[in-house]
C-alpha cells in the first residue's frame, strides 16, 4: 500500500518535538511537505509559507496535520477539506465548538477523514485505567494539573489571547483523559477563573464537576507552579483508589504501579492511518465542551499581571 503523503502545517514546538519524529517512525506515512510562515523548513522537504501555496501549487498530498494555534485552525482545515485532503487537528480541535461541528459535517460530506486528536488519551496508563474503572462505582475524583507556564509556553502570545485557552491549554488534556476513563457523562457545576489583569485568558482555575451518578469531581489548574510539576488524576472507587500521574503515563491501582513507555504521538499517527484506511472520522468535542462551559458559567477574578 502506498504511504499517505502528509504535510505538517505549523512548525512550532509540538510539530518539532512530536509530529515530525512520529511521522518519520511510521511507515504508513511519508512527509511530503511542510508549511509555516516564518520557518525555513527542513532540508529535502518541500516547504511553503502558506497552506494555500502548497494546496494550489505544491506536490500532491493526501493529508495534513494542523499543528498551529487553535485560532487559525478552522480556515486551514476548511481549505484542506475543500481539496479532499484528510485532516489531523491538534488539540484543542478549534477555537469554538461550532467551528469543529461545522468541520465534522464538511468532512462527512466530502468523504474524507477528520481526526480531532487528544494526545493524552494515548498516554500509557489511560486505556488500562478506563478498563479498570468501567467495572467500578466512582465516589470522588481529584485532578491537580499545575505547571510552570514560563517553562512550557515561553513567548507563546497566542495562548493568552481569546481562543488560546490560557491554563486550559494543558487543562484540556486532563479533561480529555477524564471524559475517556469515567463510565458516566460529566458536567460542570461551578468554576472560578483567575485572569491576569493584562491578559485575556486564565492563569489558574478551580472547577467542580459532577457525574450523572453524583460523584464529586474537583479540578485544580495552575500555571504559576514552580519546582515539581503535577499532572495527576486520582479516582476513589468502591474497590480502592486509582491514580494516573505524569499526565497519564503512570498508573497506580490498589495492586501496584505500572510505568510504560511514552507512545502518545506514535499512537495518534497509528490511529490517523487506521481512520484514513477505514474511511472514518473521529471527532470528540466533549473536552472542549467542558472548557466552554467553564467560560460560560465560571466566575472571573482579576489577578496580578503576568509578564513572560
Ligand atoms: P507554537 O510553538 O507557538 O507553534 C505554532 C506554530 O504555528 C508557529 O510556529 C507558527 O509558525 C505556526 N502558524 C501560526 N499560524 C499559522 C498559519 N496560518 N499557517 C501555518 N502555520 C501557522 O505552538 P505549539 O506549542 O507547537 O502548539 C501548537 C498546538 O499544539 C496548540 O494547539 C497546542 O495546544 C498543541 N499542543 C502543544 C503541545 C506542547 O507541548 N507545546 C503539546 C500538545 C499539543 P511560524 O513560526 O512559522 O509563524
Amino acid at each position: 500500500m502506498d504511504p499517505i503523503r502528509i504535510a505538517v502545517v505549523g512548525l512550532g514546538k509540538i510539530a518539532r518535538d512530536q509530529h515530525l519524529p512520529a511521522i518519520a517512525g511510521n511507515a504508513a506515512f511519508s512527509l511530503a511537505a511542510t508549511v509555516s510562515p516564518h520557518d525555513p523548513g527542513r532540508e529535502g522537504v518541500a516547504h511553503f509559507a502558506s497552506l494555500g501555496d502548497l494546496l494550489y501549487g505544491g506536490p500532491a498530498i493526501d493529508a495534513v496535520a494542523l499543528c498551529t494555534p487553535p485560532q487559525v485552525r478552522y480556515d486551514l482545515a476548511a481549505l484542506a477539506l475543500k481539496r479532499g485532503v484528510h485532516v489531523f487537528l491538534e488539540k484543542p480541535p478549534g477555537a469554538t465548538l461550532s467551528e469543529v461541528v461545522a468541520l465534522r459535517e464538511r468532512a462527512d460530506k466530502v468523504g474524507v477523514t477528520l481526526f480531532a486528536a487528544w494526545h493524552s488519551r494515548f498516554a500509557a496508563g489511560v486505556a488500562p485505567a478506563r478498563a479498570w474503572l468501567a467495572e467500578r462505582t466512582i465516589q470522588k475524583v481529584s485532578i491537580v494539573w499545575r505547571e510552570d507556564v514560563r517553562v512550557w509556553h515561553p513567548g507563546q502570545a497566542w495562548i493568552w489571547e481569546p481562543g488560546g485557552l490560557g491554563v486550559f491549554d494543558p487543562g484540556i488534556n486532563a479533561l480529555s483523559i477524564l471524559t475517556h476513563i469515567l463510565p458516566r457523562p460529566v458536567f460542570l457545576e461551578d468554576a472560578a477563573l483567575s485572569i491576569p489583569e493584562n491578559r485575556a485568558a486564565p492563569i489558574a482555575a478551580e472547577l467542580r464537576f459532577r457525574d450523572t451518578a453524583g460523584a464529586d469531581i474537583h479540578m485544580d489548574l495552575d500555571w504559576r507552579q514552580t519546582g515539581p510539576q503535577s499532572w495527576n488524576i486520582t479516582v476513589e472507587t468502591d474497590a480502592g483508589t486509582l491514580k494516573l500521574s505524569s499526565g497519564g503515563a503512570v498508573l497506580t491501582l490498589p495492586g501496584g504501579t505500572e510505568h510504560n513507555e511514552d507512545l502518545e504521538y506514535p499512537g495518534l499517527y497509528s490511529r490517523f492511518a487506521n481512520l484514513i484506511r477505514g474511511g472514518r472520522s473521529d471527532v470528540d468535542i466533549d473536552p472542549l465542551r467542558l472548557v466552554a462551559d467553564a467560560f460560560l458559567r465560571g466566575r472571573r477574578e482579576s489577578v496580578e499581571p503576568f509578564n513572560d
Side-chain angles (χ1 to χ4, degrees), residues 95-113:
T96 67
L97 287 165
S98 40
E99 70 185 38
V100 183
V101 171
L103 288 176
R104 185 167 61 191
E105 285 171 9
R106 191 76 215 138
D108 287 349
K109 221 167 248 163
V110 179
V112 300
T113 294

Side-chain angles (χ1 to χ4, degrees), residues 9-19 35-40 47 49-51 66-70 72-73 76 90-92 119 152-153 155-159 164 169-170 172-173 265:
V9 181
L11 290 178
K13 182 170 174 8
I14 198 62
R16 288 192 306 269
D17 291 357
Q18 298 288 350
H19 288 259
V35 175
S36 220
H38 302 103
D39 190 285
H47 181 76
S50 78
L51 180 60
L66 302 182
C67 308
T68 65
V72 298
R73 213 169 283 142
L76 297 169
E90 247 301 354
K91 50 73 36 175
H119 65 86
W152 300 102
H153 302 281
Q156 290 185 339
W158 61 265
I159 218 161
D169 176 82
I172 201 168
N173 297 334
Y265 279 78

Side-chain angles (χ1 to χ4, degrees), residues 160 166-168 191-197 199-206 221-224 299-304:
W160 293 103
V167 75
F168 286 98
L193 312 180
S194 303
I195 304 178
E197 61 188 42
R199 303 285 184 166
I203 195 166
E206 192 179 351
L221 295 178
D222 207 317
W223 249 352
R224 297 165 297 196
R299 280 169 288 119
R300 285 156 173 76
E301 58 160 354
S302 189
V303 297
E304 64 181 26

Side-chain angles (χ1 to χ4, degrees), residues 125 129 132 233-235 240-245 249-259:
W132 193 81
I233 300 177
T234 308
V235 186
T241 300
L242 172 150
K243 185 168 180 185
L244 276 168
S245 41
V250 179
L251 173 64
T252 303
L253 293 171
T257 298
E258 288 176 21
H259 298 258

